Amino acid sequence: MDRHTLLHIGDDAGAYEFNGSVWLQTVDFITPTVNDPYLWGAISAANSLSDIYAMGGVPLTALAVVGLNNCELDKSVFKEVMRGAVDKLREAKTVLLGGHTIDDKEPKFGLAVSGIAPEGRFITQKGARPGQLIVLTKPLGTGILIKALKEGRLSQSDIEDAITNMLELNERASKLMLGAGATACTDTTGFGLLGHLRNVCKNSGVGAKVEFQRVPTYKLSVSLLKEGLFPKGAVDNLNFVREILKTSLEEWQLILLSDPITSGGLLFTIDREYESRLKEEAKKLGVDFWIIGETKEDKQIEVV
Ligand code: CO
Ligand code: CO
Ligand code: CO
């Protein structure tokens, strides 16, 4: 029997080869994003499945990771969270095999997901080359919107577009990424666009130039940010990339690009000549995409 690890820790999912087939494994769990427990469960599931899609893989099975405040929380809330997750898993044709629950003051929910890389082929964060186009498939700003929701500044109905996007599986985006010939990919989840881009650049040994005007954002998140409302994580994310950042943009713009994203889109690089193929595939699959910049040889991240 032949078995070995194919990737070092640090990519979106781990990859392990067993008798010629490649298994992908990942785990992700988050604190509540929206007030509705059904939606929180479904968003968490989409968020957890995302790492498999970022590798171009197919998710097959999942285990629930649950932290709940047993004293305060009603059992019906837990049922709704699970119902949301199971519905989302069904959409992803992924089976829930079980899970584990612990008592936790701050509720947490997520999944450990296993999948396969079809024909043993998968996309990592290491394959970007200078001069490629950088593509993103969902807008930024969910971290700001979730914080505003938690503080009671917004209601769920104010951010329906963001909720729809967070609920959306990256399954079709993954097909787009593969179909357009991506050489590197990651999902923008938790770390901010700049943080994820830094990882792709660092792992691939390239730099990037991003055009702020081309980056999709939620309008409401921009106005809240200008009023000074943003999660502390955005500043941490920004500080993480600052040393390789070259920019004359204003601080709020950089914070927006560093906003911690929940269930964000895929970020991938393709050769320039595949731009028309990208457009065709996106139309066929019904996926939105934005070309936000390009990779370059010099290892800084330039934002203009
Ligand atoms: Co990831
Ligand atoms: Co992850
Ligand atoms: Co990846």
Side-chain angles (χ1 to χ4, degrees), residues 6 15 17 20-24 116-123:
L6 297 174
E17 187 176 353
S21 63
V22 174
W23 284 85
L24 303 171
I116 51 155
E119 290 155 43
R121 188 176 158 247
F122 56 89
I123 310 292

Side-chain angles (χ1 to χ4, degrees), residues 130-131 206-209 294-302:
V206 299
K209 181 176 178 180
E294 58 186 58
T295 51
K296 54 191 184 107
E297 218 151 301
D298 123 55
K299 287 182 185 141
Q300 281 177 316
I301 292 182
E302 191 181 346

Side-chain angles (χ1 to χ4, degrees), residues 11-12 54-55 123-125 185-186:
D11 217 291
D12 291 292
M55 308 282 294
I123 310 292
T124 69
Q125 299 179 10
C185 182
T186 191

Side-chain angles (χ1 to χ4, degrees), residues 3 27 46 53 84 110 136 164 168 173 193 195 220 252 267 300:
R3 52 179 86 188
V27 60
Y53 293 129
L136 178 68
T164 304
E168 165 128 20
L193 174 71
L220 206 49
W252 73 265
L267 178 71
Q300 281 177 316

Side-chain angles (χ1 to χ4, degrees), residues 89-160:
L89 283 168
R90 192 171 294 140
E91 189 188 327
K93 297 177 198 72
T94 301
V95 183
L96 186 70
L97 294 179
H100 186 73
T101 309
I102 59 157
D103 190 15
D104 196 339
K105 276 198 197 87
E106 191 185 26
K108 291 170 192 79
F109 182 77
L111 302 167
V113 185
S114 297
I116 51 155
E119 290 155 43
R121 188 176 158 247
F122 56 89
I123 310 292
T124 69
Q125 299 179 10
K126 290 194 182 78
R129 302 186 286 254
Q132 288 187 305
L133 301 174
I134 303 171
V135 186
L136 178 68
T137 65
K138 285 184 194 176
L140 307 185
T142 58
I144 294 162
L145 297 178
I146 289 166
K147 185 172 162 79
L149 202 60
K150 279 181 183 166
E151 290 186 359
R153 295 273 302 269
L154 294 175
S155 67
Q156 230 167 257
S157 60
D158 295 325
I159 61 163
E160 258 163 27

